[in-house]
């Protein structure tokens, strides 16, 4: 059995709908929005809503990474003003240690892979010689 909505809920929804329609109308009547919608880009996006949604989502999602990037640029510039030589030496040292760790890891991985390939080759050749002995 479905419960009927209280009358206050329907009244609240109508009020919310009225507020949203006023907000949309005020945005659509904004002079900058009108000028943009008359431009070629605005007309194109008006005819292609999927592209407009994609552009809107891209701009919204890229705001945080761009903000972090700009924050890092500002902080790095301030750090460079404080001590270029110290910062550069630290970055080179950390980068060198990181490169050393990556190269050591790659050497161990390459040793393990070559060992696996060698064992696989010996095993397969032994099995082939066992199954098909030379005449």
């Amino acid at each position: 059995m479905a419960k009927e909505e209280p009358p206050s809920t329907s009244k609240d929804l109508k009020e919310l709908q009225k507020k949203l329609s006023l907000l949309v109308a005020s945005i659509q009547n904004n002079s900058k929005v009108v000028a943009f919608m008359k431009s070629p880009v605005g007309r194109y996006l008006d005819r292609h809503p999927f592209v407009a949604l994609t552009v809107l989502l891209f701009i919204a999602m890229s705001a945080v990474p761009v903000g972090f990037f700009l924050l890092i640029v500002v902080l790095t510039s301030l750090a460079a003003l404080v001590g270029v030589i110290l910062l550069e030496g630290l970055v080179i040292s950390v980068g060198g240690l990181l490169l050393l760790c990556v190269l050591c890891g790659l050497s161990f991985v390459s040793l393990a892979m070559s060992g696996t390939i060698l064992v696989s080759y010996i095993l397969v050749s032994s099995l082939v010689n066992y199954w098909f002995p030379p005449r």
Side-chain angles (χ1 to χ4, degrees):
M1 291 186 205
K3 293 183 180 178
E4 291 189 29
E5 293 183 2
S8 64
T9 304
S10 127
K11 183 179 176 183
D12 290 340
L13 287 176
K14 286 181 183 178
E15 185 178 325
L16 181 63
Q17 183 181 10
K18 184 189 292 185
K19 286 181 181 180
L20 285 175
S21 64
L22 287 173
L23 178 66
V24 169
S26 69
I27 290 173
Q28 288 177 342
N29 294 331
N30 188 343
S31 61
K32 292 182 181 180
V33 173
V34 171
F36 175 74
M37 291 308 289
K38 288 183 180 179
S39 71
V41 175
R43 287 193 307 256
Y44 179 82
L45 292 177
D46 193 31
R47 286 189 307 251
H48 300 87
F50 181 74
V51 175
L53 180 63
T54 304
V55 169
L56 178 69
L57 286 175
F58 175 76
I59 290 171
M61 289 189 314
S62 65
V64 172
V66 169
F68 279 139
F69 174 75
L70 293 176
L71 179 68
I72 288 172
V73 166
V74 168
L75 292 178
T76 307
S77 298
L78 290 174
L81 290 173
V82 171
V84 174
I85 296 172
L86 260 171
L87 183 65
E88 189 174 340
L90 177 70
V91 168
I92 290 173
S93 300
V94 170
L97 286 174
L98 186 65
L99 179 64
L100 179 67
C101 291
V102 168
L103 291 177
C104 288
L106 284 176
S107 66
F108 288 129
V109 168
S110 65
L111 280 173
M113 287 181 67
S114 63
T116 304
I117 292 171
L118 184 65
V119 168
S120 299
Y121 174 75
I122 292 172
L123 183 69
V124 168
S125 65
S126 297
L127 287 174
V128 167
N129 285 335
Y130 177 75
W131 287 331
F132 307 106
R135 295 181 183 193

